[in-house]
Amino acid sequence: MPAKKQTPVKTPSVIVKPLGKTGGLDNIHLALTILVVVLVALLLAVSYSRQSAPYSFTNSSLSNPNATCAYGMINGTCVVPIHNSTQVKMAAERFIAGYDTVNTSLSLLPYISEVGMMNLSYDSANHYWYVLFPIQNPRTRSTIHFSLLINDSNLSQIIPMIQTIAPSNPSASENFVASKGVVQISGKSSCSTQVPLQLYWFVDPYEPGGISSLANLTAIASKYGSKVDVSLEILYSQYSQNIANSEGLNNTLSLGDYLFCSSKQGGQPFYSFVSTLEKSYQGAYMPASLLSGYASSSGLNSSMMNSCLSTAGTYINRQAVLAKYYGIASSPSVVTDCQYLSLPQTASYAISYANSSI
């Protein structure tokens, strides 16, 4: 087959993930930094392609596995790769999942990649697999394509063709992208044999994107009702620590305590409390006196709230252990059915993937 045609690549929109991976940069500086990195990466990719000989793929789609030579023929002999397309696809999915630990907006890649539309081609001359799949900007719905070169002799040798920044240690985890917006957590299995489906919603309320993610939580709980059991898991990370350095530990913990206890009452009072909190939260310390007023005006039962607040710390400490068990590196993050990791924005994808009947 002739060399792969060069397809014009749309300039990707810069997406800034509203999580705690920005190193303290504001959105404007972070966006400019990412833009510079992407432009440099594209120049390097073009330079790389010009320095090496063109790749010649003997089969571009593998759409006819029943053909005499599924991967093409050279000098009358069928080409037989060391690894098959299923193995290569898994290697690619694990590599993409590794981007979750990259401290830039590239950490969104595992959750916006359309792995179900992945196309694989084999380069028989150079013994490489070419992997191509679309990624979709969740805001604009525009689509660009991401491509990888994978060494058939060693599937851990992977070169991202468009974006040259790769995960620092993608083989450290066996996690892989199972579906759009969903990462399968290695070594974990289902904990739900029937509805309700279990969701653990991990969040440090003082982490960027933490409070705003609660709108997704309440939307999920409202949409699926008794079919899902959404459990709010409060984390204490560097962002809460930063507040504690100036306001004191016990004062800082009040926000997490109120969120945890209001979620235990659930229903409309909880939704109302979250809505009030979202409207008033400015990314700064919120004193217990203010939170108490919000709880009262939201219709939360004061006796139940006071009783829960007195013991909330014990339960929240256990939630840190649960986060470690699932390898939660940042918040907000959602674990569905004890095995699928997603962002709050893609939690509905994880629910559908875990149980298509819901």
Side-chain angles (χ1 to χ4, degrees):
M1 176 180 175
K4 182 178 72 67
K5 295 181 179 179
Q6 296 296 324
T7 303
V9 180
K10 296 180 180 178
T11 302
S13 297
V14 177
I15 307 170
V16 180
K17 183 179 180 182
L19 305 180
K21 299 184 178 181
T22 64
L25 294 176
D26 58 38
N27 288 345
I28 295 177
H29 287 85
L30 180 61
L32 290 175
T33 300
I34 295 171
L35 179 59
V36 171
V37 170
V38 171
L39 291 176
V40 172
L42 287 172
L43 289 175
L44 290 175
V46 171
S47 174
Y48 175 84
S49 65
R50 288 180 177 176
Q51 293 172 7
S52 57
Y55 287 91
S56 177
F57 296 98
T58 58
N59 186 282
S60 62
S61 65
L62 308 183
S63 60
N64 185 10
N66 297 319
T68 303
C69 297
Y71 300 96
M73 180 181 294
I74 294 181
N75 297 328
T77 302
C78 288
V79 174
V80 182
I82 297 174
H83 298 91
N84 60 40
S85 57
T86 300
Q87 294 169 319
V88 175
K89 184 174 183 293
M90 176 58 72
E93 290 171 348
R94 286 176 175 165
F95 183 81
I96 301 165
Y99 275 99
D100 187 53
T101 61
V102 175
N103 291 326
T104 71
S105 64
L106 291 174
S107 57
L108 278 175
L109 273 177
Y111 307 102
I112 61 176
S113 298
E114 299 274 10
V115 294
M117 299 175 65
M118 189 177 290
N119 183 280
L120 293 84
S121 306
Y122 184 63
D123 173 10
S124 58
N126 297 287
H127 307 292
Y128 268 86
W129 288 86
Y130 179 75
V131 179
L132 183 72
F133 56 92
I135 57 177
Q136 186 180 74
N137 185 321
R139 291 182 180 178
T140 65
R141 300 298 179 183
S142 60
T143 299
I144 63 173
H145 285 80
F146 196 90
S147 56
L148 306 170
L149 276 181
I150 303 180
N151 189 338
D152 187 39
S153 300
N154 184 350
L155 296 185
S156 65
Q157 294 182 4
I158 301 178
I159 303 172
M161 296 294 290
I162 296 179
Q163 175 52 263
T164 57
I165 297 176
S168 58
N169 190 9
S171 60
S173 171
E174 293 297 312
N175 293 357
F176 65 93
V177 180
S179 182
K180 180 180 178 180
V182 184
V183 171
Q184 169 76 60
I185 305 175
S186 175
K188 303 299 185 287
S189 57
S190 171
C191 60
S192 302
T193 57
Q194 57 187 5
V195 294
L197 196 66
Q198 180 66 57
L199 274 73
Y200 296 121
W201 204 283
F202 294 96
V203 60
D204 178 344
Y206 282 114
E207 185 163 356
I211 293 296
S212 61
S213 79
L214 298 179
N216 300 97
L217 183 155
T218 56
I220 289 288
S222 177
K223 177 180 178 180
Y224 293 98
S226 61
K227 294 180 180 179
V228 300
D229 179 13
V230 186
S231 177
L232 182 60
E233 313 293 333
I234 304 298
L235 300 181
Y236 182 84
S237 73
Q238 68 186 60
Y239 296 94
S240 283
Q241 180 62 58
N242 292 339
I243 300 294
N245 290 340
S246 59
E247 303 296 340
L249 178 60
N250 290 334
N251 291 336
T252 302
L253 294 178
S254 293
L255 178 54
D257 291 348
Y258 269 89
L259 279 171
F260 171 76
C261 291
S262 62
S263 72
K264 291 306 176 185
Q265 291 194 35
Q268 189 56 47
F270 171 57
Y271 299 161
S272 179
F273 179 75
V274 168
S275 177
T276 302
L277 197 59
E278 281 185 286
K279 293 175 183 177
S280 61
Y281 183 69
Q282 300 296 322
Y285 168 66
M286 302 194 76
S289 57
L290 181 64
L291 297 171
S292 177
Y294 288 165
S296 178
S297 63
S298 298
L300 290 164
N301 183 290
S302 59
S303 297
M304 294 176 61
M305 178 63 72
N306 292 334
S307 176
C308 177
L309 288 173
S310 65
T311 58
T314 301
Y315 293 99
I316 291 176
N317 288 340
R318 297 174 186 173
Q319 293 172 353
V321 177
L322 187 65
K324 183 177 181 180
Y325 173 75
Y326 287 113
I328 302 301
S330 66
S331 79
S333 296
V334 184
V335 174
T336 299
D337 195 22
C338 301
Q339 59 180 329
Y340 301 117
L341 180 64
S342 69
L343 301 178
Q345 297 88 341
T346 64
S348 59
Y349 295 143
I351 293 173
S352 298
Y353 188 80
N355 189 336
S356 60
S357 66
I358 294 181

